[in-house]
Amino acid sequence: MLNLLAQLLKALNSESAPGQIALAVAFALWMALTPMWTVNNLLLFTLVLMLRVNLSAFFAALAGFSLLALAIDPISQRLGASLLQMTSLQDTWTALYQHGFWRVLQFNNTLMLGGSVIALLAFLPVSMLVRLLVVQYRARLLRWIQKLKIVQALKASKFYQWYQAAVE
Amino acid sequence: MTKWIRWWGLLAVAAVVALIAAVVLLLAGPAVEKSIETLGTKINGALVEVDSVTVSINPLGLEIKGIAVTDRRHPMENAVEIGQARAQLELLPLLAGHIIIEDLALTEVAFDTERSVSGALPERQSSDNAVAEAAADEDAVTNQFSASVPSLEQVLERQSLATDKAGRELRQLVEQRKPEVEQRIAQLPDEQQLQQYEQQVNALINGKIESLEDFQRKKAQLDELKQQLRRDREAVVAVRDLIRDSRDELTARLQQLRAAPAQDLAMLKQQYSLDGQGAVNLSRLLWGDEVGQWGSEALYWYQRLQPYLQQGAELAKNRTAAEDSAAAAPEPVRISGQTVHFPTADPWPEFLVRQLSLTAQLPQGRLLLSGSDLTPEPALMPQPARLTLTTEGLPQVASVTADLVLDHRRTPGRDTLTLTVRGWQLSDWQLHSQLDLASAVIDADGLAVVADGRLTAQLDAQFNQAQFQGEADNRAGKEMLAVLAQIDQFNLDAAVAGTLADPELELGSDLDRRLQQAVGERLRQQQAELQQRFNRHLNQKISGYTDGLAGDIDFFNLQDEQLAATGEQLQQLAQQQLDDYVEQQRRRAEEKAQKKVDEKTDELKRKAEDKLKSLFN
C-alpha cells in the first residue's frame, strides 16, 4: 500500500508532463482489464517501456485497476461473448481467425475481447480526465499536500528515496 | 517524435527477450524430458524413458534421443524404441499456449527390443498383477475369436446341450420331490393308527350311555376324534395333490427330455455346417486360429488406442458444454474467459502433429509410417487423422499398405482401416496337425470399419501357386489330400461383425466348394456317420437320465393308491355318529312300553285262548 502511495505521489509530484501520466493510466487500464499473462499484455508492456509514459503512474494505476477488474470481468466476459456470437460480425471474426497474429492476441477469448473493447472505449476519456485532474492537482493541491506531515515522512523514508533513485 | 521514445526501455525489452530465450534453451530440454517420461509412463502404464532432449530456437524445435516405451504386457521388453525424434514447432501457436508440431520425424525405430531392467512401474501395488491383467485382457480378446472356432469334441464337451439340461432338470425334480413325498407320508397315520382310530370310534358309538353327562362326555370325545380324523384326511389329500403335481411335472419334463435331442441335433448340425448343402466348413478349421490371432492382436491395440480417441470427443463435448454454461458457471476470483473457435483450414488445438514420419529398419525389411493431423481434439480439425503404413524391401512381400483413418470430428466417430497386401510369398504354413500349405503367393485386400462401437471388417485373400502337403492315415484324409494337391488357386474371405466386445468371425473359401465337389459323396457319408454319432451320444445321455425313472413313477403311483384307501377309511370313520341321549332314552322307553304292550298282549291272548278252550271243552 505504501508502495502504491509512494508511486502515486512520485508521479504526481514529478516533473512529468500530465500527458505522460494520463497515457500511463490509460495503458494500465487496458492491461488490467484483459487476462494478465498473454502476448497482448506483453506487447502492451513493451509499448509502455518504449514510450515515455510515466512508469510510476503506470504501476500504481495497474495495481488499482487490477482490483477494479475483478468487478468488471463478468461484464467484460459477457460483452466479449456477445460480440463473438454476433451474426453480423461472424465474417470479421472468421477472417481474423485465419491469421496467426490475431489468434496469438487471443481476440477470440471472451474476456480478452470484452476487456479490450471496454479499455479502448475508455482510453481517450480516461486519458483526458486524468490529464485534467493532474493539471488541476498541481495547480491547486500540490503545495498543500506537500506540507502534510505524512507526505513529508513518506518522502523522507529510505524506501521512497531508494525507489526514486531506482526509477530515475 | 523521438522525444516520446524511451531508449533504455527498448534495451530493457531486448534484455528480457534474451533472458527468456536463454532460460528456454537451458531449462526447456530437461522440463520436456521430464514431461514426456511422466506423462508417457502414465498413459502407457509402464516406464517410458528418454535419454536427452535438446531445444533449438531457430528453427524452433526439439530433438529427443533414446525414447524407450516399455511393453506393458512384457516389462522386460520395449514395445517401441525410438533412436531419434525431431519435432519442429510453430512459434505463434506456442505463444498462445498451443503445441503445434509442424513435422515430427521418428528415426531408428525398433520394436520388441530387450530391456536390461524391468519397465514395470515400481509404485504399483503389484506389477505382476498389472502384467497379469494385461495378459488377461489379451486372452479375453483372443478368446473372443478362438471361441468361435470349436472342434467336434469341444462342442460336445463345452456346448450346453438341451438334452443334458432337460435330463438334469428331470433328475433334479425326482430327487427333490421323492424325499419330500416320503417325508410327508411319514407324518400321516399308519395302519396301526387307523386301527386305533377305528377302535376308539367303535367304543364311543357302541358303548352304553349311563347318563346325560356320560353322553355329553362321549360326544365331546367323538367330536374331538372326528376333528383329528378330518385333519388327517386333509393331510392325506394334500400329499395326494403333491403326488399328482409331481407326476404331472415329471411327465412334462420327460416330454422335454424326449424333445431335446432334436434341438441338440439341429444345433450340432449348424455348428458343423452339416445343414443345407451338407458342406464342411474347412476354411474355418484350417485358418480360424490364425485369423483369430491376427484379429485379436489388432483389436488389442485398437482398444489400447480407443480411450485417447474417445478423449478427443469428450474434450470437444466438454468444451461445448463449458461454452454453453459459461454464463451460468460459478466464477472464480479472476475469470479467464472462454475461447471461441471459428472455421479455419489451420486450426490450433491444444496439441497437434501436422505431419508424422516414422522409419523402422526391421530384420524383415524397412517399415515406413506416415501420419497427419494427429490431435486429441479432432472436433476442431477440418480433416480426420490419418496413418499410413508401407513397407520396403521385405523379402517375402512385394508391398504392404495399411491406411488408417481416425475420424472423430463428430460423435460417434468412425475409424477405417484399408489394407492391401501384394505378392506375399508364403512358405510352410501349418494349417492343421497333418496339413501344411507348403507355398503360395497371396494378394489380399481388407477393409475394417469401427463406428459407434460396432466393428465390421472384410478381408479377401487370393492364394496363387498354392501347394499343399500333408499326411493322412485314413481313407478320407488321403482323398482330401489328393484333391488339395490339384488345387493351385483359391480364395479366402474373412468377415468380422459385431460389437468390439463381442466380435464374430466368419471365414469362407471357395476351397470348401471345390472340396465338396471333389469329395461330396465322402462328405455325405461322413455327415451321416457324424449324425449317427450325435444320435448315439444323445441317446446314451437320455438313458443315463431315465434309468430308474420307471421305478420312481411307480413309487408315486403306489403311494397315491395307498393314500386313496387311507383317505377313504378316514372319511368313513369321520362319518360315524353318536345317537342323541334323549332319543336314546325315548327309544329305550318305547322299547320298554312296547315290551309291556307285548307282554300284556301275550297275557290277554293267553287268557282269551284259555277262555275259548274252556267254552269248547
Side-chain angles (χ1 to χ4, degrees):
Chain A
M1 193 63 194
L2 275 177
N3 186 14
L4 191 67
L5 193 61
Q7 286 176 36
L8 193 63
L9 286 173
K10 167 92 176 80
L12 290 172
N13 302 343
S14 69
E15 297 299 321
S16 298
Q20 289 179 337
I21 296 173
L23 203 57
V25 172
F27 274 124
L29 176 69
W30 191 351
M31 213 162 151
L33 292 189
T34 53
M36 189 55 71
W37 303 107
T38 57
V39 174
N40 181 63
N41 278 356
L42 189 68
L43 291 178
L44 272 179
F45 187 61
T46 306
L47 202 61
V48 167
L49 284 177
M50 287 172 63
L51 294 177
R52 282 189 185 280
V53 297
N54 189 289
L55 287 177
S56 299
F58 174 78
F59 286 119
L62 183 61
F65 285 139
S66 292
L67 291 173
L68 183 70
L70 293 176
I72 294 181
D73 275 353
I75 301 168
S76 304
Q77 165 141 316
R78 273 196 285 276
L79 175 66
S82 60
L83 285 171
L84 285 169
Q85 287 164 3
M86 200 175 280
T87 316
S88 57
L89 290 174
Q90 289 305 300
D91 288 345
T92 308
W93 303 137
T94 306
L96 290 179
Y97 197 76
Q98 308 311 312
H99 299 282
F101 174 75
W102 293 107
R103 261 193 275 177
V104 168
L105 293 185
Q106 296 185 27
F107 80 95
N108 55 330
N109 181 285
T110 52
L111 185 61
M112 174 65 83
L113 184 66
S116 296
V117 168
I118 291 173
L120 285 171
L121 287 174
F123 197 89
L124 205 57
V126 166
S127 302
M128 291 170 72
L129 182 66
V130 171
R131 189 178 185 285
L132 186 68
L133 288 173
V134 171
V135 169
Q136 292 298 317
Y137 166 81
R138 284 181 179 170
R140 298 175 185 220
L141 294 173
L142 182 59
R143 279 186 191 172
W144 180 75
I145 292 280
Q146 280 182 332
K147 283 178 186 170
L148 289 176
K149 283 185 179 175
I150 186 170
V151 174
Q152 285 173 349
L154 198 63
K155 286 177 79 174
S157 71
K158 280 185 181 176
F159 177 79
Y160 183 81
Q161 286 166 8
W162 169 83
Y163 182 79
Q164 196 172 24
V167 173
E168 286 172 350
Chain B
M1 180 67 190
T2 51
K3 73 173 186 178
W4 277 97
I5 296 173
R6 187 168 18 220
W7 295 106
W8 70 260
L10 201 59
L11 287 173
V13 170
V16 168
V17 170
L19 186 68
I20 291 171
V23 168
V24 166
L25 278 173
L26 287 173
L27 299 180
V32 171
E33 183 182 329
K34 187 74 184 164
S35 302
I36 293 172
E37 287 184 339
T38 309
L39 276 174
T41 300
K42 191 177 171 189
I43 292 169
N44 184 44
L47 273 185
V48 172
E49 294 161 311
V50 175
D51 283 348
S52 68
V53 176
T54 314
V55 178
S56 62
I57 296 289
N58 189 21
L60 184 63
L62 296 170
E63 185 177 310
I64 308 166
K65 286 188 174 170
I67 305 172
V69 180
T70 307
D71 187 341
R72 193 165 72 112
R73 297 174 293 178
H74 310 289
M76 289 305 292
E77 285 180 14
N78 288 319
V80 183
E81 205 174 332
I82 302 165
Q84 190 178 52
R86 281 175 186 273
Q88 193 179 328
L89 288 124
E90 291 183 15
L91 178 62
L92 283 180
L94 197 60
L95 290 174
H98 303 269
I99 300 171
I100 308 290
I101 299 174
E102 182 64 33
D103 187 26
L104 176 62
L106 310 173
T107 50
E108 301 167 35
V109 179
F111 299 97
D112 301 330
T113 55
E114 284 186 17
R115 291 179 60 88
S116 53
V117 290
S118 170
L121 295 182
E123 67 269 24
R124 281 202 169 185
Q125 193 176 3
S126 165
S127 58
D128 291 342
N129 286 352
V131 175
E133 259 176 43
D137 288 350
E138 193 179 12
D139 287 348
V141 174
T142 308
N143 289 339
Q144 288 166 11
F145 278 93
S146 57
S148 58
V149 191
S151 69
L152 176 70
E153 284 71 24
Q154 279 172 338
V155 170
L156 288 173
E157 285 296 321
R158 293 180 188 176
Q159 285 289 346
S160 174
L161 293 177
T163 307
D164 265 335
K165 186 168 176 279
R168 276 196 303 273
E169 284 174 356
L170 180 71
R171 291 312 316 169
Q172 199 177 353
L173 181 72
V174 172
E175 283 161 15
Q176 182 193 339
R177 290 297 171 86
K178 202 173 167 184
E180 193 181 343
V181 168
E182 283 173 341
Q183 190 188 356
R184 297 276 294 274
I185 286 174
Q187 293 166 356
L188 297 177
D190 54 8
E191 193 65 33
Q192 196 180 350
Q193 180 72 41
L194 286 173
Q195 282 177 4
Q196 200 177 337
Y197 281 151
E198 200 170 352
Q199 285 168 5
Q200 285 175 345
V201 169
N202 286 336
L204 288 169
I205 290 174
N206 300 327
K208 190 179 177 184
I209 298 169
E210 302 296 338
S211 62
L212 183 60
E213 287 75 24
D214 186 36
F215 170 80
Q216 284 173 341
R217 185 176 53 75
K218 282 185 175 177
K219 188 169 186 307
Q221 284 177 353
L222 187 62
D223 287 344
E224 195 181 336
L225 190 60
K226 277 181 170 181
Q227 278 181 359
Q228 179 63 41
L229 290 170
R230 266 196 293 276
R231 280 199 293 274
D232 285 346
R233 187 170 177 277
E234 281 167 8
V236 167
V237 171
V239 175
R240 286 194 70 194
D241 287 345
L242 177 66
I243 289 174
R244 200 160 33 247
D245 291 346
S246 302
R247 219 164 34 194
D248 290 349
E249 276 188 66
L250 209 60
T251 310
R253 294 280 163 88
L254 195 58
Q255 281 171 354
Q256 283 174 9
L257 178 62
R258 282 175 182 150
Q263 294 173 26
D264 285 335
L265 197 59
M267 183 274 293
L268 291 168
K269 276 180 178 180
Q270 199 180 6
Q271 284 285 343
Y272 285 85
S273 300
L274 294 171
D275 56 338
Q277 304 157 0
V280 61
N281 201 337
L282 185 70
S283 35
R284 192 175 187 119
L285 289 170
L286 295 183
W287 284 282
D289 286 339
E290 199 79 20
V291 176
Q293 277 173 9
W294 294 344
S296 301
E297 191 68 20
L299 205 55
Y300 172 77
W301 286 107
Y302 181 77
Q303 287 180 346
R304 291 290 305 276
L305 181 67
Q306 207 185 22
Y308 306 107
L309 299 175
Q310 285 174 344
Q311 195 179 30
E314 288 295 318
L315 274 173
K317 201 188 290 177
N318 291 343
R319 169 178 289 166
T320 311
E323 283 167 8
D324 289 347
S325 61
E331 288 159 356
V333 177
R334 180 83 205 260
I335 54 179
S336 56
Q338 299 293 331
T339 303
V340 179
H341 295 273
F342 296 92
T344 178
D346 177 28
W348 289 358
E350 295 298 318
F351 179 84
L352 169 67
V353 177
R354 288 196 197 282
Q355 293 296 330
L356 164 76
S357 66
L358 180 151
T359 313
Q361 188 65 46
L362 305 178
Q364 297 87 351
R366 201 169 150 84
L367 195 73
L368 305 166
L369 177 72
S370 62
S372 60
D373 301 312
L374 306 172
T375 174
E377 293 177 273
L380 298 178
M381 303 300 292
Q383 60 278 323
R386 184 180 284 268
L387 286 167
T388 305
L389 178 83
T390 54
T391 57
E392 277 180 6
L394 294 182
Q396 290 184 321
V397 186
S399 72
V400 175
T401 307
D403 189 27
L404 176 63
V405 178
L406 303 166
D407 191 354
H408 287 257
R409 292 172 295 166
R410 291 175 198 83
T411 306
R414 182 184 171 88
D415 301 325
T416 309
L417 173 70
T418 311
L419 177 73
T420 310
V421 180
R422 291 288 176 268
W424 179 10
Q425 292 178 344
L426 195 71
S427 59
D428 288 332
W429 189 6
Q430 188 171 17
L431 302 172
H432 193 258
S433 59
Q434 292 178 311
L435 180 65
D436 287 351
L437 183 57
S439 65
V441 178
I442 304 172
D443 293 335
D445 294 286
L447 177 69
V449 177
V450 177
D452 201 15
R454 294 198 66 79
L455 168 68
T456 314
Q458 178 71 40
L459 177 75
D460 300 323
Q462 180 70 41
F463 288 68
N464 299 309
Q465 301 165 35
Q467 285 189 325
F468 288 94
Q469 280 181 352
E471 292 174 1
D473 45 15
N474 57 36
R475 193 179 140 212
K478 283 174 185 166
E479 282 172 14
M480 196 169 282
L481 279 176
V483 172
L484 287 171
Q486 291 168 4
I487 294 173
D488 66 344
Q489 198 177 66
F490 64 94
N491 66 27
L492 175 70
D493 307 323
V496 181
T499 60
L500 283 172
D502 186 22
E504 280 187 21
L505 171 67
E506 279 184 20
L507 284 174
S509 167
D510 65 348
L511 206 57
D512 295 345
R513 183 179 50 78
R514 297 171 74 169
L515 281 171
Q516 279 168 35
Q517 286 173 352
V519 291
E521 185 54 37
R522 181 66 193 157
L523 285 174
R524 274 190 288 279
Q525 285 174 12
Q526 284 182 339
Q527 178 186 347
E529 283 174 18
L530 204 54
Q531 282 195 32
Q532 281 178 1
R533 274 184 60 199
F534 290 156
N535 277 328
R536 275 201 300 275
H537 179 83
L538 295 174
N539 285 336
Q540 281 172 0
K541 279 194 177 294
I542 289 182
S543 300
Y545 289 120
T546 53
D547 271 355
L549 192 66
D552 294 325
I553 293 172
D554 284 348
F555 164 80
F556 285 119
N557 288 336
L558 186 65
Q559 294 300 331
D560 192 36
E561 282 172 19
Q562 285 177 355
L563 288 174
T566 305
E568 184 66 27
Q569 198 172 351
L570 286 168
Q571 192 176 11
Q572 282 174 5
L573 285 171
Q575 283 171 352
Q576 295 291 329
Q577 295 290 331
L578 185 65
D579 289 341
D580 186 67
Y581 175 72
V582 176
E583 180 62 26
Q584 196 179 35
Q585 290 301 317
R586 187 186 59 76
R587 200 172 66 237
R588 282 190 181 176
E590 277 178 5
E591 281 174 5
K592 211 170 178 179
Q594 187 64 42
K595 196 175 175 184
K596 278 185 179 176
V597 170
D598 289 344
E599 281 174 4
K600 196 72 179 174
T601 307
D602 288 343
E603 191 183 334
L604 289 171
K605 196 177 172 181
R606 206 166 43 246
K607 281 180 180 175
E609 281 175 359
D610 290 343
K611 277 185 181 175
L612 282 172
K613 278 180 185 173
S614 63
L615 280 174
F616 288 104
N617 288 333

